[in-house]
């Protein structure tokens, strides 16, 4: 409901100096693998996570995060109304929402005006806070992302997971970022959605993070598909295979990077198990017997084993696919999420849907909508058509005689026959680049109708095209029907439709395939059945099934054949839910931000840059061998008084002898301290050593380790069968010392080798000739100038105004058309200027920069006279996805060089000699706010000093110039001129 306001504020944040993730977003855009819909969703996601600190929408609206600061100046209000609104952030947000609704529809505009008048009139009596609470869940941060099918919702989930873990590793204590994840597919859709979600494992994390970070997180991530048959009610916990999968990842409390993918029905079980009974609650709350409490708790937890064990997973985000299926609080899956929240381990809930609507209207201060109110990001279907979706062709089979039952059957048959002919005439021989053949799906209203009516018709019609029943697949998910059993391999064929070896051409479906089904080679849909009594939105959903592109860079089309009724329903749903007509649906509106890019390296005959890079090999030698037994004995002798493992002064020997006051003091620190066994202690040592120590090695020193374990744990006086960790001892430090007892002391040795390198300024394999971009204004030169440069390249213009052109200008002046003469002269001068400039820069066009200062410095530099007189060339190098010239940087610590990453300079000013690059001036620009970034300073230090020294042994080939925004225009230009004159002195 508030997504337009949120998007607007998100964009403002990204354009501000306050934003800290512009470089990360820029990396994703330059990488070019994510769709515009995904990148825009990520921007909103990070805005809510970082700027809004992952807080609940209710709190953010109440505190005034999203309303338009100028909204009161746009609306006519009396003094009483103005005072009411200006002191209420929720009311201001409501006004901003109304102001942002599309007012192109005259009837809707009139309705909004009447609504606004009513709200103004009743503003004093409206309880804005309560109205907002009624539509927004206040239990946890919940954000819903609405993207049409084919936009890549599954990969978007993977992006969110990698981003959360990336920031969680940077800031482990920041609760805004999740450490673990539960991905839920709605009940009844697992045959189509779960297989799609499983592809999350195949996501390439370099789409969203630089390779070094991506690789590190990928090694941490562990996916568990909880698809085993659900356990019986009251089953023992070890009998549930899905629970076993979770337990196999180690201690629940230690999980980091765990991703569970599960169908909702495995969570909900039956309703009487969702909450403890009154009898059980009485035992848990009133019993003073610790053993009785423990027994009652175990009994309850076993009845809820899967839900319960997931509830214990720390700092988890819950992702719900097709969220519209679980939005109601009455639905059990929603109750399970609420149950986890009560346990305190839910970081946030993220919903995903292409159709984020509910049957009942949500009402907020008289504003009615059937959209899910938690929508934080919305990408219109029309923007996807022709972008990442096929363009649909809608064909309606006109029918007559609509009244009789007999005519209904005939209409269905006629529509199916008509649709098959249309499809095979157009796509019968269509094979995509990946080897898959174009496929047609035909939907039936029930299983009997599919088998007795549709199947025989299809079989007969396909014979005309030389196809048999082997080319037909009947599939109805998991529905049981004794009369019409599926083929044994039906599900396998359904799941492998996008493989080249799959020969299916026509899929007959019932009760499945209307949402969440990912089949890119599906190119046609026939909807011939009546749609009365069913959700009308299913027509729009089903019509979109064939729109996923196979080859993302190609223009692709699809066929949708409908009867009259379904065509009318589609038209109404497009108007109501997407605010578009049939023509827009067929043609799309997603190409508004499409830009063309041109490679000019061949025109410029641009050579590679040759330079020297360092290859550093680090080896480790034993500096001091450790005596394990001696170190372990030393730990055993600890009295744990005044040493580095004691959190607070305490005589450990006294504690081990059950000194009552010490025990009570230790227990008071953590009343909920969990029991620990000696075996768990040993397993922790093995796991935390990353298996550099094995279990058998520890058992050699079993007696010593038991002694240490007994010193750092204690027994509760009334429960002798368990031991508990002493919270006054830093047990992690004790374990570290034990691990160190098994490790030698090492020293590092480094060997340096100078490696000749060669870099292209355009990594052509990553270059795309066409892209959807977020903001065209960030690209330079603009489209008009790009066209002029390409025209100048093609026509090989001289860069001078010819005699004929001068004569034309003078002729216009003579006859008094001075304005036309000036216009022509300006145009010719601009063309001449472009013709001169184009051969000293723009090895590809347009360039892209998010820094106005960068663009300003570039435009100033190419106009400098000594750049032109010395025949220098100026190239933008700041796109790390498109350049190969990157400096490998190190920081030096105790004479050891530590790799700190690549540095990608902004600009390169070059001179040539014998058509080879002779000298290179690295020009770096930085806004004042970024100039003190410690990472940048280290890379600048290495490049300016060490890199240039290594490469300047034969002659001064490289130099470095840093230009900061704080300089005045005059000082900055003089600085560049002086450096050019100094470095290119002989040129």
């Amino acid at each position: 409901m508030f997504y337009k306001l949120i998007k607007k504020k998100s964009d403002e944040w990204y354009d501000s100096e306050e934003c800290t993730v512009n470089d990360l977003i820029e990396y994703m855009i330059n990488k070019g693998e994510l769709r515009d819909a995904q990148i825009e969703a990520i921007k909103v996601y990070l805005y809510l996570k970082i700027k809004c600190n992952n807080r609940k929408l209710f709190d953010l609206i109440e505190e005034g995060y999203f309303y338009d600061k100028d909204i009161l100046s746009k609306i006519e209000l009396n003094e009483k109304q103005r005072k009411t609104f200006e002191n209420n952030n929720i009311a201001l947000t409501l006004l901003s929402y109304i102001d942002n609704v599309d007012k192109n529809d005259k009837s809707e505009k009139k309705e909004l005006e009447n609504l606004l008048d009513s709200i103004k009139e009743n503003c004093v009596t409206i309880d804005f806070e309560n109205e907002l609470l009624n539509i927004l869940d206040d239990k946890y941060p919940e954000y819903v992302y609405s993207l049409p099918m084919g936009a890549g919702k599954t990969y978007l989930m993977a992006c969110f997971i990698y981003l959360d873990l990336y920031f969680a590793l940077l800031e482990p204590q920041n609760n805004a970022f999740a450490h673990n994840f539960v991905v839920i597919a709605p009940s009844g859709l697992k045959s189509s959605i779960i297989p799609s979600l499983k592809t999350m494992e195949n996501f390439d994390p370099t789409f969203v993070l630089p390779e070094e970070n991506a690789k590190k997180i990928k090694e941490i991530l562990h996916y568990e598909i909880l698809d085993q048959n659900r356990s019986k009610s009251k089953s023992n916990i070890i009998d549930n295979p899905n629970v076993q999968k979770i337990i196999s990842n180690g201690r629940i409390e230690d999980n980091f990077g765990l991703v569970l993918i599960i169908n909702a029905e495995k969570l909900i079980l039956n309703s009487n198990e969702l909450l403890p009974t009154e009898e059980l609650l009485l035992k848990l709350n009133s019993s003073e017997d610790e053993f009785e409490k423990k027994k009652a708790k175990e009994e309850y937890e076993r009845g809820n084993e899967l839900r319960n064990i997931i509830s214990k997973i720390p700092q988890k985000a819950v992702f719900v696919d097709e969220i519209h299926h679980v939005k109601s609080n009455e639905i059990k899956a929603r109750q399970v999420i609420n149950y986890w929240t009560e346990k305190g381990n839910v970081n946030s809930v993220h919903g995903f849907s292409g159709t984020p609507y509910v049957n009942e209207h949500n009402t907020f201060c008289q504003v009615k909508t059937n959209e899910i109110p938690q929508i934080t990001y919305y990408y219109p279907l029309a923007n996807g058509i022709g972008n990442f979706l096929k363009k649909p062709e809608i064909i309606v089979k006109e029918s007559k005689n609509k009244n009789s039952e007999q005519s209904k059957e005939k209409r269905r048959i006629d529509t199916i026959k008509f649709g098959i002919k249309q499809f095979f005439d157009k796509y019968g021989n269509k094979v995509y680049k990946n080897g898959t053949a174009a496929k047609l799906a035909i939907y039936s209203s029930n299983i009997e109708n599919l088998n007795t009516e549709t199947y025989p018709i299809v079989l007969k019609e396909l014979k005309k095209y030389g196809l048999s029943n082997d080319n037909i697949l009947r599939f109805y998910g998991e529905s049981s029907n004794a009369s019409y059993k599926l083929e044994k391999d039906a599900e396998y064929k359904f799941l492998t439709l996008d493989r080249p070896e799959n020969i299916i051409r026509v899929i007959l479906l019932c009760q499945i395939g209307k949402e969440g089904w990912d089949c890119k080679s599906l190119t046609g849909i026939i909807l011939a059945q009546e749609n009365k009594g069913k959700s009308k939105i299913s027509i729009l959903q089903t019509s979109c099934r064939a729109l996923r592109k196979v080859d993302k860079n190609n223009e692709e089309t699809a066929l949708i054949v409908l009867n009259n009724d379904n065509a009318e329903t589609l038209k109404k749903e497009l108007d109501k839910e997407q605010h578009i007509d049939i023509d827009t649906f067929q043609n799309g509106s997603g190409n508004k931000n499409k830009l063309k890019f041109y490679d000019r390296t061949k025109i410029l005959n641009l050579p590679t840059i040759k330079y020297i890079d360092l290859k550093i090999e680090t080896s480790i030698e034993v500096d001091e061998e450790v005596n394990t037994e001696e170190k372990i004995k030393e730990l055993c002798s600890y009295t744990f008084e005044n040493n580095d493992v004691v959190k607070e002064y305490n005589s450990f020997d006294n504690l081990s002898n059950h000194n009552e006051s010490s025990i009570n003091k230790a227990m008071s620190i953590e009343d909920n301290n969990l029991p620990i066994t000696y075996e768990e202690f040993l397993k922790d040592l093995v796991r935390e050593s990353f298996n550099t120590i094995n279990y058998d090695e520890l058992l050699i020193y079993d007696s010593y380790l038991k002694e240490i374990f007994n010193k750092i744990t204690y027994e509760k006086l009334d429960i002798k069968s368990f031991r508990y960790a002493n919270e006054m001892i830093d047990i992690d430090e004790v374990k570290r010392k034990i691990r160190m007892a098994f490790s030698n002391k090492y020293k590092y040795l480094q060997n340096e080798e100078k490696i000749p390198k060669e870099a292209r300024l355009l990594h052509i394999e990553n270059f795309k000739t066409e892209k959807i971009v977020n903001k065209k204004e960030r690209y330079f030169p603009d489209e008009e100038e790009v066209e002029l440069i390409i025209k100048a390249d093609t026509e090989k213009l001289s860069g001078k105004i010819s005699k004929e052109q001068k004569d034309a200008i003078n002729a216009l002046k003579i006859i008094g058309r001075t304005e036309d003469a000036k216009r022509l002269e300006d145009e010719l001068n601009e063309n001449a200027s472009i013709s001169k400039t184009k051969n000293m820069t723009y090895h590809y066009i347009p360039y892209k920069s998010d820094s106005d200062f960068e663009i300003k410095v570039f435009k100033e530099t190419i106009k400098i006279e000594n750049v032109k007189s010395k025949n220098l060339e100026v190239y933008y190098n700041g796109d790390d996805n498109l350049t190969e010239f990157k400096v490998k940087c190190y920081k030096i610590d105790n004479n050891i060089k530590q790799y700190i990453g690549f540095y990608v300079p902004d600009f390169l000013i070059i001179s040539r000699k014998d058509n080879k690059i002779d000298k290179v001036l690295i020009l770096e620009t930085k806004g004042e706010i970024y100039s003190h970034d410690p990472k940048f300073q280290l890379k600048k230090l290495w490049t300016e000093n060490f890199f240039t020294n290594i490469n300047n042994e034969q002659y001064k080939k490289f130099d470095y110039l840093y230009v900061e925004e704080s300089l005045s225009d005059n000082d900055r230009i003089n600085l560049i001129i002086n450096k050019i004159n100094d470095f290119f002195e002989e040129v």
Side-chain angles (χ1 to χ4, degrees):
M1 184 174 182
F2 305 102
Y3 54 84
K4 286 185 180 178
L5 302 180
I6 294 171
K7 178 70 167 61
K8 188 176 179 182
K9 293 298 178 181
S10 170
D11 288 342
E12 287 176 7
W13 182 63
Y14 277 92
D15 287 339
S16 73
E17 292 183 345
E18 183 188 356
C19 179
T20 56
V21 292
N22 274 319
D23 288 346
L24 193 58
I25 295 296
E26 182 64 16
Y27 168 84
M28 297 177 210
I29 293 170
N30 289 336
K31 187 70 176 175
E33 297 294 343
L34 296 177
R35 298 185 174 112
D36 59 324
Q38 293 167 317
I39 288 175
E40 288 300 308
I42 288 169
K43 288 172 71 175
V44 170
Y45 181 81
L46 291 177
Y47 166 73
L48 292 168
K49 282 278 182 177
I50 297 171
K51 170 64 177 175
C52 301
N53 201 29
N54 194 49
R55 297 175 65 199
K56 301 168 188 174
L57 283 180
F58 177 87
D59 294 340
L60 295 172
I61 291 170
E62 188 180 41
E63 291 177 25
Y65 269 69
F66 306 136
Y67 72 80
D68 182 351
K69 303 303 179 187
D70 299 321
I71 189 63
L72 290 180
S73 64
K74 299 178 181 180
I75 299 172
E76 186 178 338
L77 300 166
N78 62 39
E79 187 178 346
K80 190 175 183 181
Q81 290 168 343
R82 184 173 297 278
K83 190 172 182 180
T84 300
F85 283 118
E86 68 186 8
N87 292 323
N88 192 314
N89 290 329
I90 298 175
L92 289 171
T93 305
L94 173 64
L95 294 182
S96 301
Y97 164 78
I98 294 172
D99 187 60
N100 274 271
V101 172
D102 186 0
K103 302 179 184 66
N104 290 331
D105 187 318
K106 290 183 180 179
S107 62
E108 188 174 353
K109 184 178 180 181
K110 184 65 178 174
E111 186 179 331
L112 284 171
E113 288 172 354
N114 292 338
L115 176 63
L116 182 59
D117 289 341
S118 177
I119 291 170
K120 284 160 57 177
E121 186 179 339
N122 299 293
C123 65
V124 177
T125 59
I126 295 174
D127 186 342
F128 290 100
E129 182 177 346
N130 189 55
E131 292 267 2
L132 185 63
L133 270 174
N134 285 337
I135 65 165
L136 291 181
D137 198 324
D138 195 37
K139 294 182 175 66
Y140 37 72
E142 180 173 18
Y143 313 127
V144 173
Y145 297 83
S146 173
L147 296 92
M149 53 74 61
K153 292 192 288 291
T154 303
Y155 271 11
L156 182 61
M157 292 183 205
C159 291
F160 289 175
I161 288 170
Y162 274 95
L163 288 167
D164 259 38
L165 292 178
Y166 169 73
F167 286 106
L169 287 170
L170 289 176
E171 303 176 51
Q173 304 306 316
N174 189 337
N175 292 329
F177 304 106
H179 295 180
N180 299 284
F181 308 86
V182 181
V183 183
I184 302 175
S187 299
L189 296 174
K190 68 179 180 180
S191 293
S192 54
I193 293 178
I194 285 286
S196 173
L197 292 179
K198 286 181 180 179
T199 63
M200 199 182 294
E201 287 187 86
N202 302 324
F203 176 71
D204 182 348
T206 62
F207 292 1
V208 71
L209 290 171
E211 187 172 357
E212 189 177 344
N213 305 105
K215 183 180 177 183
K216 181 178 180 181
I217 296 172
K218 190 164 189 174
E219 289 171 353
I220 294 171
L221 266 180
H222 183 68
Y223 290 87
E224 288 289 1
I225 315 294
L226 306 183
D227 56 358
Q228 299 297 308
N229 290 333
R230 69 182 185 182
S231 61
K232 294 178 181 179
S233 177
K234 307 286 186 179
S235 69
N236 187 284
I237 195 164
I238 62 170
D239 290 334
N240 189 325
N242 292 319
V243 172
Q244 281 288 64
K245 283 185 177 183
I246 299 172
I247 291 174
S248 68
N249 288 280
R251 282 176 40 140
I252 298 298
E253 296 80 4
D254 296 335
N255 272 301
F256 185 93
L258 178 63
V259 182
L260 305 179
I261 298 176
I262 188 169
N263 185 266
E265 69 183 20
K266 294 193 182 302
L267 293 173
I268 59 179
L269 298 179
N270 48 61
S271 59
N272 63 3
E273 288 183 342
L274 275 170
L275 298 170
T277 62
E278 288 185 18
E279 181 184 354
L280 181 59
L281 282 171
L282 192 63
K283 286 182 182 178
L284 288 170
N285 294 327
S286 62
S287 176
E288 295 181 1
D289 188 328
E290 286 287 339
F291 179 77
E292 191 67 27
K293 274 187 179 181
K294 185 172 183 292
K295 185 179 176 183
K297 187 177 179 183
E298 285 179 357
E299 178 188 337
Y300 168 60
E301 289 179 351
R302 281 182 179 168
N304 293 269
E305 52 191 358
L306 185 56
R307 290 194 297 271
N308 182 63
I309 200 163
I310 293 175
S311 77
K312 293 177 181 177
I313 295 172
Q315 193 74 355
K316 60 181 169 287
V318 180
F319 292 172
V320 185
D321 200 11
E322 306 298 348
I323 186 85
H324 51 278
H325 285 281
V326 294
K327 268 312 294 177
S328 171
N329 279 326
E330 286 70 43
I331 292 177
K332 294 175 188 175
R334 171 66 53 177
Q335 294 177 19
V336 173
I337 296 171
N338 292 342
Y339 164 72
W340 289 339
T341 304
E342 289 166 10
K343 294 289 184 179
N345 286 326
V346 172
N347 163 276
S348 50
V349 176
H350 303 271
F352 302 83
S353 175
T355 52
Y357 313 109
V358 289
N359 292 329
E360 69 279 3
H361 280 290
N362 293 299
T363 304
F364 173 40
C365 302
Q366 304 174 53
V367 176
K368 289 186 177 181
T369 176
N370 66 338
E371 290 179 340
I372 295 172
Q374 288 86 354
I375 298 173
T376 53
Y377 175 73
Y378 177 83
Y379 188 91
L381 172 64
N383 287 7
I385 303 294
N387 177 2
F388 50 78
L389 296 177
K390 300 178 179 115
K391 286 188 175 181
E393 179 187 1
I394 310 293
I395 298 181
V396 180
K397 179 65 175 77
E398 298 291 343
S399 301
K400 299 176 182 178
N401 303 321
K402 295 184 179 181
N403 298 325
S404 69
E405 286 296 320
Q406 185 179 5
S407 67
K408 282 184 182 180
E409 182 179 344
K410 187 176 185 307
R411 288 201 305 273
R412 283 198 302 269
I413 294 170
D414 287 347
T415 303
I416 292 169
K417 286 181 178 180
F418 173 78
I420 290 172
K421 184 178 188 308
Q422 291 289 326
F423 178 81
F424 280 96
D425 284 353
K426 187 165 187 176
Y427 300 105
N429 298 317
K430 174 68 178 176
V431 176
Y432 293 101
K433 282 184 180 179
N434 63 2
T436 57
K439 297 172 181 65
L440 171 68
I442 304 173
Y443 290 82
S444 296
S445 56
N446 59 69
I447 294 170
E448 182 177 2
N449 179 270
L450 184 153
N451 284 279
T452 61
E453 180 180 278
T454 307
Y455 179 64
I457 296 168
V458 173
L459 193 58
K460 183 178 178 181
E461 292 298 310
L462 289 196
K463 284 181 181 178
K464 298 176 184 177
Y465 301 95
L467 299 173
S468 69
N469 62 338
D470 291 336
N471 302 110
I472 304 171
L473 172 65
R474 287 173 286 178
F475 193 59
Y476 6 102
E478 294 187 343
S479 299
S480 58
N481 190 303
S483 302
Y484 306 105
K485 289 290 184 183
L486 290 172
E487 298 173 51
K488 288 183 179 179
D489 61 349
E491 184 165 11
Y492 174 77
K493 288 179 179 178
F494 181 74
L495 296 176
T496 58
L497 286 168
D498 271 335
R499 293 186 185 176
E501 65 271 18
N502 192 311
I503 64 170
I504 300 299
R505 297 300 306 276
V506 179
I507 310 109
L508 309 183
L509 298 170
C510 179
Q511 302 168 357
I512 197 167
K514 293 184 178 179
E515 57 184 339
W517 178 30
D518 182 1
C519 180
K520 294 182 176 65
S521 57
L522 185 66
T523 312
I525 296 284
I526 298 176
L527 289 174
Q529 79 274 20
E530 302 294 325
N531 195 47
K532 292 182 179 177
K534 296 188 177 180
S535 171
K536 300 296 182 184
I537 194 65
S538 68
I539 299 300
L540 176 56
Q541 290 173 334
T542 311
S543 296
C544 290
R545 289 304 99 195
L547 300 188
R548 293 178 187 270
K549 272 191 179 183
V550 181
D551 305 316
K552 66 178 184 179
N553 294 322
N554 288 354
E555 283 285 335
E556 293 181 0
T557 58
L559 181 70
I560 301 173
V561 178
L562 306 170
N563 60 25
N564 297 76
D565 290 341
N566 288 333
E568 191 60 32
T569 299
L570 176 62
K571 182 180 177 182
K572 289 177 181 176
E573 287 301 329
L574 286 170
D575 179 53
K576 182 180 178 184
E577 308 299 348
Q578 297 292 330
H579 310 296
I580 59 175
D581 56 21
I582 288 285
D583 286 340
T584 306
F585 179 54
Q586 293 185 107
N587 296 303
S589 60
N591 297 326
K592 293 176 182 177
N593 286 330
K594 187 176 282 187
L595 265 187
K596 290 183 178 180
F597 294 81
Y598 300 88
D599 169 18
R600 299 185 67 247
T601 53
K602 289 182 180 177
I603 290 170
L604 295 167
N605 193 22
L606 186 62
T608 57
I609 294 181
K610 295 180 179 179
Y611 63 102
I612 301 295
D613 205 355
L614 278 187
K615 179 182 179 182
I616 298 178
E617 292 183 346
T618 303
S619 58
I620 303 173
E621 289 185 359
V622 175
D623 192 32
E624 179 184 324
E625 290 192 0
V626 72
N627 186 323
T628 300
E629 186 169 6
E630 181 183 313
K631 292 287 185 183
I632 295 289
K633 280 184 178 179
E634 184 184 336
L635 279 170
C636 282
S637 66
Y638 267 32
T639 60
F640 293 90
E641 293 180 0
N642 294 329
N643 62 58
D644 55 355
V645 300
V646 179
K647 291 182 181 176
E648 183 178 335
Y649 176 78
N650 175 56
S651 171
F652 207 82
D653 287 333
N654 288 341
L655 185 59
S656 64
N657 291 324
H658 303 299
N659 179 288
E660 187 172 343
S661 63
S662 298
I663 292 172
N664 290 337
K665 190 174 182 182
M667 289 175 67
S668 68
I669 295 173
E670 181 57 81
D671 291 334
N672 296 318
N673 201 358
L674 295 170
I676 183 172
T677 66
Y678 176 61
E679 287 71 22
E680 286 176 322
F681 175 68
L682 295 183
K683 287 177 183 176
D684 281 349
L685 288 171
V686 173
R687 182 174 54 80
E688 291 168 4
S689 75
F690 297 98
N691 293 314
T692 57
I693 307 170
N694 63 50
Y695 199 79
D696 291 338
E697 284 180 289
L698 292 174
L699 291 180
I700 296 171
Y701 307 98
D702 187 56
S703 60
Y704 299 126
L705 292 173
K706 275 183 180 173
E707 185 177 343
I708 294 170
F709 176 73
N710 289 333
K711 284 188 172 187
I712 62 175
T713 59
Y714 61 90
E715 290 180 345
K716 288 187 179 180
L717 297 180
D718 54 342
I719 306 175
K720 299 290 186 180
S721 55
F722 297 104
R723 295 194 71 82
Y724 294 82
N726 178 10
E727 293 296 323
M728 296 168 65
I729 300 295
D730 189 343
I731 293 178
D732 287 336
E733 180 63 19
V734 174
K735 288 191 287 185
R736 189 188 71 81
K737 287 182 178 292
I738 293 172
R739 294 195 302 273
M740 291 294 292
F742 287 82
S743 176
N744 294 322
K745 187 177 179 182
Y746 295 94
K747 62 180 177 181
Y748 291 87
L749 300 174
Q750 284 191 332
N751 180 52
E752 294 182 7
E753 184 181 357
K754 293 179 180 177
I755 306 294
K757 299 287 282 285
E758 204 167 327
R760 296 172 295 175
L761 293 190
L762 177 60
H763 188 173
I764 193 64
E765 290 80 6
N766 290 347
F767 185 73
K768 292 178 173 59
T769 58
E770 200 170 73
K771 281 197 304 187
I772 302 291
V773 301
N774 290 314
K775 294 182 178 180
K776 285 187 176 181
E777 60 268 25
R778 302 313 312 169
Y779 291 80
F780 64 100
D782 60 28
E783 287 178 279
E784 187 177 345
E785 191 172 339
V786 166
E787 286 181 18
L788 289 172
I789 291 171
I790 297 306
K791 182 181 179 183
D793 285 341
T794 306
E795 298 178 4
K796 297 181 180 178
L797 301 181
S798 65
K800 297 179 181 179
I801 299 178
S802 67
K803 182 179 182 303
E804 291 79 8
Q805 290 168 335
K806 288 180 180 178
D807 290 344
I809 293 169
N810 290 329
L812 288 170
K813 289 178 179 177
I814 290 169
I815 62 174
R817 291 171 60 183
T818 54
E819 288 187 9
D820 291 338
K822 187 177 186 308
R823 191 180 301 112
L824 177 60
E825 188 172 18
D826 289 345
E827 183 181 334
L828 292 171
N829 281 327
E830 184 181 3
N831 290 347
S833 175
I834 287 170
S835 296
K836 289 177 182 177
T837 304
K838 74 183 183 67
N839 291 327
M840 59 174 286
T841 187
Y842 298 133
H843 58 308
Y844 67 88
I845 47 174
Y847 289 150
K848 160 70 163 61
S849 174
D850 277 329
S851 166
D852 291 333
F853 181 57
E854 271 185 0
I855 299 172
K856 183 178 184 179
V857 170
F858 171 77
K859 289 182 176 179
E860 287 173 346
T861 303
I862 61 175
K863 291 177 182 177
I864 290 174
E865 188 54 42
N866 61 349
V867 171
K868 296 177 181 177
S869 64
K870 292 176 180 289
N871 292 319
L872 303 180
E873 298 165 49
V874 184
Y875 296 110
Y876 180 66
N877 189 70
D879 189 333
D880 61 351
N881 190 50
L882 290 180
T883 182
E884 289 182 342
F885 183 69
K886 305 172 186 180
V887 178
K888 199 172 184 180
C889 297
Y890 300 85
K891 73 173 182 177
I892 302 175
D893 190 7
N894 293 325
N895 293 320
I896 297 294
K897 293 182 176 68
Q898 298 177 23
Y899 173 66
I900 56 172
F902 282 105
Y903 164 58
V904 183
D906 289 337
F907 299 102
L908 303 176
I909 303 176
I910 71 166
S911 66
R912 301 197 200 195
K913 189 174 184 180
D914 300 328
N915 204 33
K916 294 179 181 178
I917 292 179
D918 181 50
K919 304 189 86 174
V920 181
L921 174 60
I922 296 171
L923 175 59
E924 180 66 35
T925 64
K926 272 284 182 288
E928 189 173 3
I929 190 171
Y930 300 110
S931 61
H932 303 296
D933 174 41
K935 285 186 179 179
F936 167 69
Q937 289 297 332
L938 286 171
K939 291 179 179 180
K940 175 179 178 289
L941 177 68
W942 175 266
T943 305
E944 189 172 13
N945 297 293
F946 297 96
F947 174 80
T948 53
N949 288 341
I950 292 164
N951 280 275
N952 291 347
E953 290 181 355
Q954 293 183 348
Y955 70 98
K956 195 171 182 180
K957 181 175 183 176
F958 284 89
D959 205 347
Y960 186 90
L961 176 62
Y962 172 65
V963 178
E964 194 174 295
E965 193 174 13
S966 56
L967 293 171
S968 69
D969 290 351
N970 192 52
D971 287 347
R972 180 177 61 254
I973 292 170
N974 284 333
L975 181 66
I976 296 171
I977 291 171
N978 292 335
K979 174 60 80 170
I980 286 171
N981 285 333
D982 177 47
F983 180 58
F984 296 102
E985 183 181 5
E986 298 174 3
V987 177

